């Protein structure tokens, strides 16, 4: 396992990426690259009240925020990951077990692999019609600098508003 899951019952949101990037794997912290927008946007969108640094990721539990990845045994950019790396059934079981309010994929690629779509074009950002038990699913633009051309803040703000209504 590259990065341990940060999960417990009663979370408002679990963020799920494809796999840790190389810097996150090296630093042993979620969304650790200096160029990654994750920590800035979850603060800006009102998901957490204090801007954490990646190395403080375990403190996110205080704010009802957890983490996992679809690929737990590989790291790197999406195009480097093997098809076998993605464990859809393990993620499904984790979400059924912990039942967070929201499962939020932090890229279309992670959602594509989870849902089994051929391309990311089949997905729209925002709330999805599918659920896992009582857990609502959101798809968000990747905060990675490698995905800058697809970056949008609006879906992140919509997630923040949804969480404020639900909690």
């Amino acid at each position: 396992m590259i990065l341990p899951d940060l999960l417990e019952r009663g979370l408002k949101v679990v963020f799920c990426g494809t796999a840790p990037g190389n810097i996150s794997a090296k630093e042993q912290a979620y969304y650790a690259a200096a160029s990654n927008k994750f920590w800035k946007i979850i603060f800006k969108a009102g998901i957490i009240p204090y801007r954490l640094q990646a190395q403080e990721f375990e403190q996110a539990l205080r704010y009802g925020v957890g983490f996992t990845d679809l690929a737990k045994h590989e790291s790197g950019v999406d195009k480097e990951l093997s098809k076998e790396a993605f464990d859809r059934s393990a993620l499904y079981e984790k979400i059924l077990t912990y039942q967070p309010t929201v499962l939020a994929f932090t890229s279309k690629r992670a959602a594509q692999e989870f849902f089994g779509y051929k391309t990311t074009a089949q997905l729209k950002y925002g709330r999805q019609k599918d659920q896992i038990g009582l857990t609502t699913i959101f798809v968000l633009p990747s905060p990675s600098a490698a995905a800058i051309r697809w970056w949008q803040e609006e879906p992140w703000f919509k997630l923040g508003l949804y969480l404020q209504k639900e909690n």
Side-chain angles (χ1 to χ4, degrees):
M1 186 173 308
I2 306 292
L3 273 174
D5 290 333
L6 191 63
L7 300 171
E8 64 183 25
R9 293 185 191 279
L11 293 173
K12 64 182 184 180
V13 61
V14 170
F15 289 104
C16 180
T18 49
N22 293 323
I23 294 171
S24 290
K26 182 180 173 217
E27 298 289 325
Q28 285 294 285
Y30 284 91
Y31 306 98
S35 59
N36 195 297
K37 295 173 174 46
F38 179 81
W39 295 101
K40 181 179 179 181
I41 192 63
I42 67 168
F43 168 68
K44 199 172 170 184
I47 297 167
I48 59 172
Y50 170 75
R51 185 167 172 193
L52 297 172
Q53 300 300 311
Q55 292 71 24
E56 301 174 296
F57 77 91
E58 291 173 327
Q59 292 182 35
L61 281 177
R62 289 189 214 173
Y63 309 117
V65 174
F67 300 96
T68 191
D69 289 297
L70 200 53
K72 295 302 293 178
H73 301 284
E74 290 185 24
S75 63
V77 296
D78 287 356
K79 64 183 176 187
E80 296 173 351
L81 304 172
S82 69
K83 250 330 201 189
E84 299 76 41
F86 303 109
D87 193 343
R88 179 190 187 278
S89 60
L91 177 61
Y92 187 87
E93 288 302 317
K94 288 175 199 177
I95 299 305
L96 270 182
T97 299
Y98 293 101
Q99 285 292 288
T101 303
V102 171
L103 168 63
F105 289 105
T106 58
S107 72
K108 276 190 174 181
R109 173 71 191 280
Q112 172 197 351
E113 294 296 338
F114 179 76
F115 288 117
Y117 294 144
K118 289 188 189 276
T119 70
T120 58
Q122 294 173 272
L123 288 161
K124 300 282 187 234
Y125 291 126
R127 185 176 176 185
Q128 306 297 298
K129 65 179 181 348
D130 299 285
Q131 288 194 186
I132 300 173
L134 299 174
T135 300
T136 298
I137 300 173
F138 272 73
V139 176
L140 303 168
S142 173
S144 169
I148 192 68
R149 65 181 170 200
W150 295 286
W151 178 247
Q152 303 172 41
E153 289 185 343
E154 183 184 0
W156 290 85
F157 281 98
K158 286 183 178 179
L159 171 62
L161 289 172
Y162 180 84
L163 292 172
Q164 288 170 15
K165 286 182 202 169
E166 292 297 309
N167 290 299

